[in-house]
Amino acid sequence: MKAPWDRPIVDAPAWPIDDGGPVVFLIDAHSRVERALIDGWISRHRPTGVRTDDLYIPTSRHGKQTKTDPRLEARLAEGDDPLLVPLRVAWLAKERDGRRRVTLKDILALGDPRDPNFIRQRWVRTFAPDRIQIVQGEPAPRSQLETRWQDPGGRGPAEGTSLADFVSLKAWLALERAERALRGTRYKVPKFIGEVLFRSRGFQQGVAALAAAEDVSVETMRQRTGRYLKEIAATHSPFVIDAVTGLMGWIISLGYHHLDYSSEKLQELYKLGQDHSLVFLPSHKSNADHLVLQYALYENDFPPNHTAGGTNLDFLPVGPMIRRSGIFFIRREFKDNEPYKFVLRQYLNYLLEKRFPLEWYLEGGRSRTGKLREPRYGLLSYVVDAYIRGLVDDVVLVPVSIAYDQISDIASYAAEQRGLGKEKEGATWLVRTISGLRRQYGSIYLRFGSPISLSDNVPQGVDLTSEEGKLVVPKIAFEVSKRINDATPITPVSLVTLALLSQSAAGLTVDETMTVLEPYLAYVAQRDLPTTVPLSLTTTDEVRGALGALVANDVVSRIEGPADDVYVIEQDQHLTAAYYRNTIIHFFVNSSIVEVAVAGMRRDDSTGVDEFLSRAFAWRALLRFDFFFDSRDEFRDAILEELRLECPDGVACLERGDLSVVLAALAPYATPAVLRPFIQAYRLVAEVLVRADSDEELSRSEIQQRALDLGRQYEAQGKISTPESLSFALFDAGIALANNIGLLHPTTVPSERKSFLADIEDALADIDALNPPDPVPK
């Protein structure tokens, strides 16, 4: 029987090169077992007459040594040109169903099997040698590395870095790449950020420039930027990636029974990422968004995204764990902190250069209303700037829609929209969030929009500070948001809430709900809009199931009657129901504008297609802070197409003045359910401004609170027909609209505010002019 040390290990690499030249093995070993395994491999494979030097570089695991082995310095100083060959022992997971994967059970039982302690190493060596492999990094001659060491380029080593330190770093990186080929691309993560980025020549030159600009010593600035890099950077760990992803799968399964996405689409993106830097830009609906996308990537052997997160999540025990699974933390405010901006820019540039995928939420935070929020430009500006400066050949932006049948966050969203503060993240918040998943919320739908290449959308040599350049990033952000909306699937729950909210305060039976749904289903089918597969709302059981799911989570109330059950959205449920409606509302905005434009024409006794388009553009301007519209030419074509779809002879009817014919073809109308809540919210903001003293300077929060108070009064008086209008988020768009035309400044002429209010009231009158027949047959 063979002794344990002589038993074979799997797929041992061949001798690096057989030309008889000298070889220096750079051995990364952190235990006696690993040293013995590597020494045994070298002794078994060493050709006769070849000089070899076995030198131990500082171990890259379990904390790196502070000094390099002096023997390496001496060997590199000799006059020959040996081949430098990195070696390491890789510990593999147990094979299950033909795959070596680490399970959550493995981790919880004995820790990461790929990084065993000394006792477990001896056990594996004796009883499971197939789980051991000698890893050989890509060899390189000493002369080649010395040339790179002397390279004055931005990513070359900083002055004062010895050749031995540089060689050790390159050995670590070569071994990481080799071991990644064994473990899979899901572990493609940057290592040694401090050594590769912080100690690079370009970084340190920037540090020196910052020190001079702020009149401090270089060492002081070096310490400050070092702290910032440590504060920002993710520190991936395969062990934590496996643990967190396993935990993610468990957490998702608590509240959802299915995660629906296309593996084929992910594979297409993976191929794209081989030659391009990828930036994933998901919608942000729930605290579960990051879990969902990372879990799908992991399951398909994708590398984890480097995901930007707010420092509000950097608390124990969550912060350290998610940092090691791919989150990098960014302060919310750092406008005047140039060293911080420098470090963040350098970090992002490095990730883009090395093609490590990035991810962040373009909206900046979770949507409290269900629809996409206005995009933030900060990080996107950094990425576009990196492309313009030639640091990368191209960057591909990937719009991602993450849709849910229902979410557990909904109650807190409704509370925040009514003026209650956002709950602070912490351990208690975490426990409460996970506990909230004990209910069933249906399925999750992950959809990928058409990717956007910067090389196709950013003019060469553009200056982002020029008049033309200032529009580049907003246009790209707008296009990403639009493609996220276009990819968002319509769910049964979202369509049912739209139908119920279209009935104002009236409750509906299952049969009546089906009748109200019919035109919406026809609308979706006619326009071939994206849906969950299948969108099943054609039988009483399917509709009752969707209604029952809403009742189970207190979004809808069920009133049991002797003849039939009635489903109604109570006064305090409007905001939660409106959330699900708003996730798909963008699909119905253009058709609603067609309806209200024609209704306004009939009210004013006007005719003609030019008048119709003028009114449509006026509505586009009114709603531009709530929705993402096409360019003027595309919008014009889309509006005319909507008119044609519902009334094929619509243009001719508008010219002849046959508006009743057009309105009959458009019925039943979506406008009251789609646009009225937003316009009523704008009206409250406009009235607050009119009521304010002429010299009073109002803050955003003061306008929101006054609008809410006024709305509550009108609600009690029956003057508000859509309670979901009483929302801080909807007030925000009204405030932005008023600010855009200069109405927030205390020097504003009162008549201008009154004119603004009159315009809003005129828009509401156009909506009120739509008096459709009751869509529920008597």
Side-chain angles (χ1 to χ4, degrees):
M1 179 177 178
K2 291 185 178 181
W5 304 118
D6 295 326
R7 293 174 65 184
I9 50 182
V10 302
D11 300 328
W15 191 258
I17 191 169
D18 192 14
D19 65 354
V23 175
V24 174
F25 288 107
L26 305 172
I27 301 171
D28 179 5
H30 75 279
S31 71
R32 292 196 302 272
V33 174
E34 291 188 351
R35 291 190 186 99
L37 288 167
I38 292 174
D39 290 346
W41 179 87
I42 293 174
S43 64
R44 288 194 301 273
H45 291 81
R46 180 189 291 116
T48 303
V50 173
R51 177 189 173 183
T52 63
D53 294 275
D54 307 340
L55 302 179
Y56 291 91
I57 61 175
T59 178
S60 61
R61 290 182 280 189
H62 299 289
K64 296 181 287 295
Q65 300 171 7
T66 56
K67 294 183 180 181
T68 303
D69 187 340
R71 294 181 301 162
L72 179 57
E73 294 270 11
R75 182 65 185 88
L76 294 174
E78 295 183 21
D80 58 349
D81 190 20
L83 187 69
L84 307 179
V85 183
L87 290 178
R88 174 193 289 173
V89 174
W91 302 91
L92 308 178
K94 182 179 179 180
E95 187 171 352
R96 298 179 176 90
D97 299 325
R99 299 178 64 187
R100 294 189 181 276
R101 293 187 59 179
V102 177
T103 66
L104 185 59
K105 182 179 179 181
D106 291 333
I107 293 170
L108 295 177
L110 294 170
D112 190 354
R114 295 158 308 190
D115 192 12
N117 58 31
F118 176 75
I119 296 175
R120 290 186 68 196
Q121 286 180 357
R122 292 181 65 88
W123 185 93
V124 171
R125 182 62 186 88
T126 304
F127 298 105
D130 62 306
R131 290 173 52 193
I132 302 172
Q133 179 159 329
I134 302 297
V135 174
Q136 183 185 111
E138 183 179 359
R142 173 196 174 282
S143 57
Q144 184 183 104
L145 289 176
E146 184 173 21
T147 300
R148 295 172 64 185
W149 173 60
Q150 296 171 339
D151 179 16
R155 291 289 178 232
E159 293 182 12
T161 303
S162 70
L163 177 59
D165 285 338
F166 181 73
V167 166
S168 296
L169 173 60
K170 293 303 178 182
W172 291 334
L173 295 173
L175 288 168
E176 287 297 322
R177 288 191 293 269
E179 192 166 349
R180 186 191 307 149
L182 278 178
R183 295 182 174 179
T185 54
R186 64 165 58 99
Y187 305 110
K188 180 189 175 184
V189 295
K191 301 294 288 287
F192 320 117
I193 288 292
E195 291 78 2
V196 177
L197 176 59
F198 183 73
R199 297 181 188 174
S200 69
R201 184 173 289 111
F203 193 100
Q204 290 304 318
Q205 288 172 346
V207 167
L210 286 168
E214 300 205 359
D215 195 23
V216 298
S217 69
V218 172
E219 183 57 31
T220 297
M221 185 57 66
R222 183 178 290 117
Q223 292 177 3
R224 182 176 171 185
T225 54
R227 289 196 304 271
Y228 288 157
L229 183 58
K230 185 176 181 180
E231 175 187 324
I232 292 171
T235 54
H236 293 81
S237 159
F239 170 78
V240 176
I241 289 172
D242 287 329
V244 169
T245 309
L247 189 61
M248 286 176 182
W250 173 73
I251 290 174
I252 292 171
S253 68
L254 286 178
Y256 298 93
H257 55 73
H258 181 56
L259 171 57
D260 183 85
Y261 65 91
S262 167
S263 295
E264 291 76 15
K265 186 64 177 179
L266 274 176
Q267 290 305 317
E268 290 176 14
L269 291 172
Y270 175 75
K271 291 178 182 177
L272 194 61
Q274 299 301 299
D275 301 313
H276 301 81
S277 301
L278 296 183
V279 176
F280 289 80
L281 298 171
S283 58
H284 200 10
K285 297 292 192 294
S286 167
N287 282 312
D289 291 338
H290 174 67
L291 310 184
V292 169
L293 183 52
Q294 181 160 332
Y295 183 79
L297 295 174
Y298 181 91
E299 285 295 295
N300 287 270
D301 203 28
F302 247 50
N305 291 342
H306 287 70
T307 306
T311 52
N312 57 308
L313 293 175
D314 194 9
F315 62 87
L316 292 173
V318 172
M321 181 176 290
I322 62 176
R323 183 187 292 276
R324 287 169 174 77
S325 69
I327 297 286
F328 65 94
F329 293 105
I330 302 179
R331 298 178 182 181
R332 293 192 180 276
E333 296 292 337
F334 52 88
K335 182 177 180 180
D336 299 321
N337 191 335
E338 292 301 324
Y340 187 91
K341 288 193 285 187
F342 165 78
V343 173
L344 177 59
R345 188 185 299 274
Q346 287 284 320
Y347 181 64
L348 293 176
N349 289 348
Y350 173 77
L351 296 177
L352 290 168
E353 288 176 41
K354 302 301 181 182
R355 294 179 185 162
F356 292 113
L358 284 165
E359 174 191 339
W360 71 82
Y361 302 109
L362 198 58
E363 301 167 83
R366 287 171 290 154
S367 169
R368 267 60 175 181
T369 64
K371 65 182 185 61
L372 280 184
R373 298 174 61 179
E374 185 178 358
R376 305 288 182 87
Y377 305 139
L379 290 182
L380 184 58
S381 298
Y382 283 14
V383 170
V384 173
D385 179 67
Y387 166 71
I388 290 174
R389 289 190 292 119
L391 298 180
V392 289
D393 294 331
D394 195 8
V395 179
V396 174
L397 310 178
V398 183
V400 183
S401 171
I402 306 176
Y404 302 79
D405 281 331
Q406 297 188 67
I407 59 172
S408 63
D409 319 58
I410 193 70
S412 65
Y413 291 174
E416 288 178 44
Q417 289 190 75
R418 288 293 171 89
L420 297 181
K422 175 177 175 285
E423 183 181 5
K424 185 177 180 181
E425 289 83 356
T428 303
W429 164 85
L430 177 64
V431 172
R432 188 178 296 113
T433 298
I434 295 176
S435 298
L437 291 171
R438 290 177 180 174
R439 292 182 174 186
Q440 277 298 306
Y441 295 97
S443 294
I444 306 172
Y445 308 94
L446 187 61
R447 299 291 186 266
F448 300 95
S450 179
I452 299 172
S453 166
L454 291 190
S455 63
D456 294 337
N457 290 273
V458 178
Q460 288 291 335
V462 67
D463 179 2
L464 292 181
T465 63
S466 67
E467 289 304 311
E468 177 193 12
K470 289 177 181 177
L471 299 176
V472 168
V473 174
K475 284 182 177 179
I476 293 173
F478 172 89
E479 186 60 30
V480 170
S481 299
K482 187 174 179 301
R483 294 190 189 192
I484 292 173
N485 270 342
D486 291 344
T488 299
I490 296 173
T491 66
V493 162
S494 61
L495 208 58
V496 166
T497 54
L498 175 59
L500 290 177
L501 286 167
S502 71
Q503 300 307 296
S504 187
L508 300 176
T509 65
V510 170
D511 288 339
E512 290 170 342
T513 303
M514 290 181 66
T515 301
V516 176
L517 279 170
E518 284 179 5
Y520 290 113
L521 290 169
Y523 180 98
V524 170
Q526 184 183 34
R527 290 156 181 80
D528 194 25
L529 298 179
T531 64
T532 56
V533 181
L535 183 59
S536 301
L537 289 171
T538 56
T539 69
T540 55
D541 286 343
E542 291 165 350
V543 174
R544 184 178 287 109
L547 289 167
L550 289 166
V551 170
N553 288 307
D554 302 322
V555 179
V556 170
S557 296
R558 178 171 51 216
I559 300 172
E560 297 181 0
D564 211 338
D565 292 346
V566 176
Y567 296 87
V568 62
I569 299 174
E570 304 284 5
Q571 199 81 350
D572 61 349
Q573 294 174 322
H574 270 257
L575 281 175
T576 53
Y579 180 93
Y580 297 117
R581 174 201 64 193
N582 290 345
T583 61
I584 62 167
I585 199 173
H586 54 279
F587 289 121
F588 300 89
V589 170
N590 280 357
S591 63
S592 295
I593 288 177
V594 169
E595 294 170 3
V596 79
V598 178
M601 291 174 66
R602 184 175 67 173
R603 191 169 68 88
D604 293 342
D605 197 24
S606 57
T607 62
V609 70
D610 289 340
E611 175 67 16
F612 166 73
L613 289 172
S614 175
R615 289 174 178 267
F617 277 113
W619 276 95
R620 177 179 180 268
L622 183 63
L623 296 165
R624 67 186 181 277
F625 291 103
D626 262 313
F627 299 101
F628 299 94
F629 291 104
D630 291 323
S631 66
R632 288 186 63 86
D633 289 345
E634 291 173 331
F635 176 76
R636 177 186 183 279
D637 293 343
I639 288 296
L640 290 175
E641 177 64 13
E642 281 292 336
L643 177 63
R644 186 194 66 78
L645 284 172
E646 295 298 331
C647 183
D649 196 32
V651 171
C653 288
L654 292 177
E655 293 292 349
R656 293 194 304 265
D658 292 339
L659 302 182
S660 296
V661 173
V662 179
L663 287 171
L666 295 175
Y669 309 124
T671 298
V674 172
L675 297 186
R676 189 194 300 274
F678 298 91
I679 305 305
Q680 284 194 335
Y682 298 174
R683 187 196 183 283
L684 291 171
V685 170
E687 189 165 348
V688 165
L689 294 176
V690 168
R691 289 171 174 271
D693 295 336
S694 58
D695 60 347
E696 189 175 8
E697 188 168 359
L698 294 175
S699 67
R700 168 176 162 272
S701 60
E702 288 172 329
I703 297 174
Q704 286 177 320
Q705 189 58 54
R706 292 187 188 186
L708 181 62
D709 293 341
L710 184 62
R712 284 172 172 160
Q713 174 195 320
Y714 286 168
E715 185 179 31
Q717 294 176 281
K719 295 181 179 181
I720 293 285
S721 59
T722 54
E724 63 267 31
S725 297
L726 276 59
S727 159
F728 272 31
L730 268 59
F731 295 154
D732 267 346
I735 294 169
L737 185 64
N739 184 53
N740 186 253
I741 54 178
L743 299 183
L744 298 189
H745 199 275
T747 59
T748 302
V749 178
S751 61
E752 294 178 352
R753 290 180 174 178
K754 291 179 180 178
S755 177
F756 177 58
L757 175 59
D759 289 342
I760 301 299
E761 289 178 333
D762 191 53
L764 277 173
D766 287 348
I767 295 175
D768 292 338
L770 292 166
N771 295 308
D774 191 338
V776 180
K778 300 298 183 184

